[in-house]
Amino acid sequence: MAFSAAPYIRRANYYETDKMGIVHHSNYIRWFEEARLDYLKQSGLNYEEMENGGILMPVTDVQCKYHYSIRFDEEVVVWTTPTFFNGLRAVFSYKIYTANGENLAATGESSHCFIDEHTRLPLNLKKRCPDLYETVIPVFADEQELKKVKE
Amino acid sequence: MAFSAAPYIRRANYYETDKMGIVHHSNYIRWFEEARLDYLKQSGLNYEEMENGGILMPVTDVQCKYHYSIRFDEEVVVWTTPTFFNGLRAVFSYKIYTANGENLAATGESSHCFIDEHTRLPLNLKKRCPDLYETVIPVFADEQELKKVKE
Amino acid sequence: MAFSAAPYIRRANYYETDKMGIVHHSNYIRWFEEARLDYLKQSGLNYEEMENGGILMPVTDVQCKYHYSIRFDEEVVVWTTPTFFNGLRAVFSYKIYTANGENLAATGESSHCFIDEHTRLPLNLKKRCPDLYETVIPVFADEQELKKVKE
Amino acid sequence: MAFSAAPYIRRANYYETDKMGIVHHSNYIRWFEEARLDYLKQSGLNYEEMENGGILMPVTDVQCKYHYSIRFDEEVVVWTTPTFFNGLRAVFSYKIYTANGENLAATGESSHCFIDEHTRLPLNLKKRCPDLYETVIPVFADEQELKKVKE
């Protein structure tokens, strides 16, 4: 069965607002990152340790749709879902809700590759770190997607 | 003939880098904004004045593909192209090159609507500010796209 | 007796680091703000409501001494202490510790005035909002400092 | 004679404002950094190269006094003055003016030490890089201050 993480919860900071009186749209991209790293940590993958092991996971593509403006001090709940992983590339999707759950504030997606810290060249997590790969597989994907990955 | 703006040029700041040693991906979204507002200013549309007139142009959708990592103090050249405008919605696309022009560092797109500062409701620039609309039309679109808009 | 607030706790985000591999120094100033607003909220002063009432509390002076570098994902504990308040001006001091309490990472101070949102002119909270002033007085100062304020 | 650098000039970005409608105070600290690194570059010290050589120059202390609020798109002129340097520690002071020079928007100061990138221990630039030290000395200090340094 798929791993089920708790959502990531935080408040909008004052310095994250802009003169429009709402949170600046670039910060949602940062919240995606906060939520993603929190999700990975919950799943047993310590990103800090992975980086210390010389593996980086840079963003290759990001997008965000804004549905509702978040204001200062408003609590948001970010749900992260891993939607693809094959050792070369990983994709996550995000939903940001207001705390009361009434408003879907934003939806988004980020794609990532894995690179060697020193060469900065892409690497295959399956070859470079089979153990890490095996740990991640059941976490990243629910059974259906896992099947696709293994095919 | 279409308005032709100079690209937006700037350097990557130290505080824009992250522990990966490169500019954090969220900052490209901010550079898109810098480039877009510079483009609008060059085109004769002072965004500050538009906001003072009670019209905001929030981002409804943004995306960015990362092709090449920008490092501290590296000069980047951002080309902004308006690709759609009908008074209700505007879309811009972006290309970020390294200064030498050898590397395409990122491509992206942002979509915007127009809202009233006070009601926060969408507005039609054509109805609310016909003068502004007429000024923007030839700027936002080259002839071909302008044709589509007017159809 | 003086009001005693819980410290403000948070983790260092990835995007807050710079290429030195540690949290960029400017972010400590932002953490001071997070901690200050959290402190005020705990004390019963909702800053959001105060702003909605047309009163802003901008920073007039800020300083920070850096003793220990905070790294990505490290938990920090921020203690906020109000050290001066007379209705015209407020001063807060801060101590940032690492979560284990072993390291004092930073100390700092911020000074603030109160201004009218529209005129942007300084105001005296005692005259403009006597109720708010009376609420804040016992919170902002322990008995000893309160005495100084009332003298 | 002392080295005389051109001031650092830039505009306030939209994303640097907050809901108060002005540039968030933390960004002035970032502008100090921009101005300082620009100053060092003008003086012949390429900070990027220094870091590539394994020497970091972290901030140990920063302060800023805010005199005038900077608004979106306002041009600012930042003057950087090195006020102390002895190979172990360097201090810079800053003045931020509005572009017309009518308003002194902020004044500030930052102190720095030099550390080894790997050990993270303080180092003496005079011992570690005598050449760099000799290059920096005449730049960092006008004759009067240079005298104090050599005493």
Side-chain angles (χ1 to χ4, degrees), chain C residues 102-117:
Chain C
E102 279 178 18
N103 294 300
L104 176 63
T107 53
E109 195 176 86
S110 66
S111 301
H112 306 259
C113 63
F114 300 92
I115 63 170
D116 181 279
E117 186 191 2

Side-chain angles (χ1 to χ4, degrees), chain D residues 36-47:
Chain D
R36 177 174 68 250
L37 295 174
D38 179 70
Y39 178 91
L40 291 177
K41 187 188 282 183
Q42 286 188 61
S43 78
L45 176 76
N46 188 313
Y47 184 69

Side-chain angles (χ1 to χ4, degrees), chain C residues 48-74:
Chain C
E48 176 73 349
E49 279 176 23
M50 195 173 93
E51 282 212 343
N52 290 343
I55 299 172
L56 308 179
M57 195 178 83
V59 174
T60 57
D61 197 333
V62 74
Q63 58 181 92
C64 183
K65 285 186 195 300
Y66 304 87
H67 307 294
Y68 171 86
S69 300
I70 302 289
R71 293 172 182 279
F72 162 57
D73 205 35
E74 204 165 348

Side-chain angles (χ1 to χ4, degrees), chain A residues 8 10-11 13-16 30-31 33-34 37 41 46-48 51 56 71-73, chain C residues 8 10-11 13-16 30-31 33-34 37 41 46-48 51 56 71-73:
Chain A
Y8 180 73
R10 57 108 85 207
R11 280 183 186 283
N13 293 313
Y14 195 90
Y15 60 79
E16 292 176 316
R30 297 181 169 192
W31 295 359
E33 180 182 272
E34 289 182 41
L37 295 174
K41 187 187 284 183
N46 189 312
Y47 184 70
E48 175 73 350
E51 282 212 345
L56 308 180
R71 294 172 181 279
F72 163 56
D73 206 36
Chain C
Y8 180 74
R10 59 108 85 207
R11 280 184 186 282
N13 293 313
Y14 196 89
Y15 59 79
E16 292 175 316
R30 297 182 170 192
W31 295 359
E33 180 181 272
E34 289 182 40
L37 295 174
K41 187 188 282 183
N46 188 313
Y47 184 70
E48 176 73 349
E51 282 212 343
L56 308 179
R71 293 172 182 279
F72 162 57
D73 205 35

